[in-house]
């Protein structure tokens, strides 16, 4: 049983690492002008953030990448 749980956990971690950005998984903070992956640990209130469909759109809007999640 423990082995199955460990394998399932490992598989979910591998999937999340392999696909860090899906459609509109970039969130920009309009106060700091930084953008993040939606899974970044610095995001506390995602409803206050601007959504971007890709990295290039965030940069074109004047946002810079977060140094923690490095999108």
């Amino acid at each position: 049983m423990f082995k199955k749980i460990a394998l399932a956990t490992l598989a979910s971690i591998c999937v999340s690492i392999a696909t860090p950005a899906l459609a509109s998984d970039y969130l920009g903070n309009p106060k700091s002008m930084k953008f993040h992956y939606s899974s970044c640990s610095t995001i506390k209130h995602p409803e206050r953030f601007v959504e971007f469909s890709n990295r290039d759109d965030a940069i074109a809007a004047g946002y810079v990448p977060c140094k923690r999640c490095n999108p």
Side-chain angles (χ1 to χ4, degrees), residues 21 26 35 52-65 71:
Y26 294 98
F35 70 97
F52 293 103
S53 59
N54 60 52
R55 187 178 199 278
D56 293 333
D57 289 346
I59 291 172
Y63 286 80
V64 296

Side-chain angles (χ1 to χ4, degrees), residues 20-28 36-38 50-55:
L22 302 171
S24 78
D25 265 353
Y26 294 98
L27 297 176
H36 313 260
Y37 284 125
S38 61
V50 178
E51 292 184 7
F52 293 103
S53 59
N54 60 52
R55 187 178 199 278

Side-chain angles (χ1 to χ4, degrees), residues 11-38:
S12 67
I13 290 171
C14 289
V15 168
S16 67
I17 291 171
T19 56
L22 302 171
S24 78
D25 265 353
Y26 294 98
L27 297 176
N29 183 333
K31 287 187 176 183
S32 69
M33 293 303 289
K34 292 183 181 177
F35 70 97
H36 313 260
Y37 284 125
S38 61

